Amino acid sequence: VVFTNKGQFDSARYYINKNIALLKERFGEDHRELAGSYNSSGTIAYHLGKYDECQYYFGKVVKIREQSLGFLHPLTAEAYNNLAVLFMAKANYDTALVLNMKAYRIRVSKLDEKHPNIALSLNNIGNVYMAKGEYEKALDFHQQALKKRLDIFSSEHADVAMSYANIGVLYREMGLYQKALEYFLKYREILLRLFGHDNPYTADAYNNVGAAYADLGDYDKSLENLQTALLLRKKRGENAPGVSTSYNNIGSIYKFKGDYELALSFYRKSIDVIRNVNGNHHPDIARRYSNMGEIYIERGLFDTALCYFNRALELDTAFLGKTSAQVIGDYLNRGRAYGELNEKEKEFNDYHKGLNLSLQAFGEKHPKTAGFYMAIGNNLLNRHEKDSAKFFIRKSLKIKKAIY
């Protein structure tokens, strides 16, 4: 647990595995005494980006809870909840929704109506709908979660703050950036009062406020908040949780400001931290490669951009599977690079692959799907296929109008 809290997941994994071996020897493979250790192993694997291993351990916990406690026990609901988190990371949103709904129904039937875990389930269901692009449903569930948390706790509670943060994230996704900022500022205000300035949780709040200012084009205020988040996170160590994310986010602000060399230096620092903690193969590295590819696009170095987008696609496919949100985004990025290189057929093929995957993962009514329709339309327009181009562009605009 100590190593996990420090972000030293390989060390944590070593001790948890020794614990599991001892418990297996004493109780057998599927004894209820092992559920907690399996859960810890799953959590560590999740942080290391080893999602198949994580699914194995979380699946073991579900099996043990169902067999030892039954299908309607609160601890079984917790096991469903944790497995849902994994499926969210793998962009398997339908499965995540089923698991979260199961957890919610158990908690409503077995727990007091003011139990915090009921609000947690409402929150998690809202996150799934947000990922699916069903923003009205997402907002409804997040507002229910916030209302319940305000009923259970005072307004000065970390769970209430988290609801404000999640609603802020949702408003960002909806393009309502001023509203997002309002909720992030509420989130930060509560955490500052609860934990003070020098706390990792407060760092998260500064990070979100910084992101909102960036959306509004106020890059100086954004940078101020993101640098504060970085300083707070580094107090726990150079490789502490969140440090890599802070370097990445600061890099993105310098990218927006047009300082590409400085942006690249922060992306490289971010990659160094990830490698120090997780080794050379981790899905978070793919995100940094994508960001670097975008810079090389802006600088007109399209071959270099293509190289980074290919690296991102390779990593994401290996770790997350072909239908993950990240892989879908990788096809959009690589298609753009092919377009800049005037390889229109390869550009079209990547957009077409991405569209099919987006329809499979998210359905028709989703921003990513709309983005692919628009990209295909523009590709066809550049190839002087105006009638076909109009069809795809109109589909894109229709989806965006329905969503926003």
Side-chain angles (χ1 to χ4, degrees):
V1 173
V2 171
F3 284 119
T4 300
N5 290 339
K6 288 183 176 181
Q8 298 174 11
F9 299 116
D10 284 323
S11 297
R13 194 181 190 197
Y14 170 79
Y15 286 102
I16 288 293
N17 285 343
K18 285 183 74 73
N19 174 258
I20 287 174
L22 290 170
L23 290 173
K24 276 186 180 180
E25 186 177 339
R26 182 174 180 184
F27 297 109
E29 175 131 354
D30 293 328
H31 194 277
R32 63 186 180 186
E33 290 293 331
L34 279 96
S37 295
Y38 285 144
N39 192 70
S40 296
S41 278
T43 301
I44 292 166
Y46 178 86
H47 286 295
L48 288 170
K50 299 180 182 294
Y51 292 150
D52 288 341
E53 184 179 322
C54 175
Q55 187 171 341
Y56 169 78
Y57 283 114
F58 281 167
K60 296 281 280 184
V61 178
V62 168
K63 180 181 177 183
I64 291 171
R65 295 298 192 208
E66 289 176 345
Q67 290 179 347
S68 62
L69 301 172
F71 290 87
L72 298 176
H73 194 281
L75 287 177
T76 307
E78 181 183 279
Y80 292 145
N81 180 92
N82 292 345
L83 190 55
V85 171
L86 170 66
F87 280 113
M88 277 287 287
K90 295 177 76 171
N92 191 336
Y93 302 129
D94 290 335
T95 303
L97 184 59
V98 168
L99 288 164
N100 277 316
M101 285 293 191
K102 286 172 79 170
Y104 173 65
R105 291 187 187 106
I106 294 168
R107 287 165 169 170
V108 167
S109 66
K110 296 295 181 180
L111 300 175
D112 182 84
E113 65 177 8
K114 288 196 172 184
H115 196 285
N117 281 352
I118 295 176
L120 176 62
S121 281
L122 290 167
N123 176 85
N124 293 346
I125 293 167
N127 284 340
V128 178
Y129 278 124
M130 176 164 55
K132 286 168 67 72
E134 298 184 39
Y135 297 139
E136 292 303 322
K137 287 183 181 178
L139 186 58
D140 178 53
F141 276 96
H142 276 305
Q143 286 174 336
Q144 286 186 60
L146 174 60
K147 183 178 184 301
K148 188 164 282 292
R149 283 168 168 169
L150 286 168
D151 288 343
I152 298 169
F153 310 112
S154 70
S155 59
E156 304 290 309
H157 192 277
D159 284 6
V160 173
M162 187 53 62
S163 274
Y164 285 131
N166 287 336
I167 293 173
V169 171
L170 177 57
Y171 279 130
R172 276 194 79 201
E173 290 292 315
M174 297 172 73
L176 301 172
Y177 301 132
Q178 190 61 50
K179 277 201 165 192
L181 177 61
E182 291 171 14
Y183 277 86
F184 287 149
L185 288 171
K186 288 180 183 180
Y187 169 49
R188 188 180 68 179
E189 184 181 341
I190 294 171
L191 292 191
L192 281 169
R193 286 202 291 263
L194 286 176
F195 304 118
H197 183 269
D198 297 334
N199 185 281
Y201 294 115
T202 310
D204 293 342
Y206 278 107
N207 183 78
N208 286 12
V209 170
Y213 277 123
D215 291 330
L216 291 165
D218 193 336
Y219 298 132
D220 290 335
K221 281 188 179 178
S222 175
L223 204 52
E224 178 186 334
N225 280 275
L226 293 175
Q227 287 171 333
T228 300
L230 174 62
L231 289 172
L232 294 176
R233 286 165 169 170
K234 287 177 73 174
K235 286 186 177 183
R236 300 175 69 193
E238 288 293 325
N239 298 321
V243 171
S244 164
T245 300
S246 283
Y247 281 136
N248 179 73
N249 293 348
I250 291 170
S252 293
I253 299 305
Y254 283 120
K255 180 182 73 172
F256 297 145
K257 288 167 73 76
D259 194 336
Y260 296 136
E261 284 304 321
L262 199 50
L264 287 170
S265 74
F266 274 93
Y267 289 146
R268 291 185 185 114
K269 287 180 182 179
S270 178
I271 290 172
D272 287 341
V273 174
I274 297 168
R275 285 175 171 161
N276 289 340
V277 176
N278 301 310
N280 289 324
H281 302 287
H282 191 276
D284 285 350
I285 294 176
R287 303 279 59 72
R288 286 28 169 190
Y289 284 156
S290 292
N291 290 341
M292 294 169 79
E294 289 174 5
I295 286 179
Y296 287 116
I297 287 278
E298 293 299 320
R299 295 173 69 179
L301 300 171
F302 305 128
D303 285 317
T304 306
L306 181 61
C307 177
Y308 277 99
F309 290 146
N310 275 327
R311 287 185 187 181
L313 178 59
E314 183 181 342
L315 269 177
D316 281 334
T317 302
F319 278 95
L320 306 175
K322 292 182 179 179
T323 59
S324 73
Q326 287 80 6
V327 167
I328 294 167
D330 291 335
Y331 278 114
L332 190 64
N333 288 336
R334 194 174 71 172
R336 183 183 173 197
Y338 279 133
E340 296 291 354
L341 289 165
N342 206 32
E343 297 191 42
K344 298 301 182 184
E345 193 63 35
K346 287 184 177 179
E347 177 191 15
F348 178 85
N349 288 340
D350 268 4
Y351 291 158
H352 196 261
K353 284 179 187 175
L355 174 61
N356 287 335
L357 291 172
S358 187
L359 287 167
Q360 183 180 338
F362 307 116
E364 180 86 4
K365 190 179 173 183
H366 193 277
K368 286 189 184 295
T369 304
F372 278 107
Y373 280 129
M374 182 62 73
I376 291 171
N378 287 331
N379 172 273
L380 292 169
L381 200 60
N382 290 330
R383 293 161 74 180
H384 309 293
E385 298 181 31
K386 293 183 179 180
D387 290 337
S388 297
K390 285 179 184 177
F391 171 79
F392 285 98
I393 291 170
R394 283 171 179 163
K395 281 184 78 77
S396 176
L397 293 174
K398 183 178 178 182
I399 293 168
K400 290 178 179 179
K401 185 178 179 181
I403 294 172
Y404 300 115

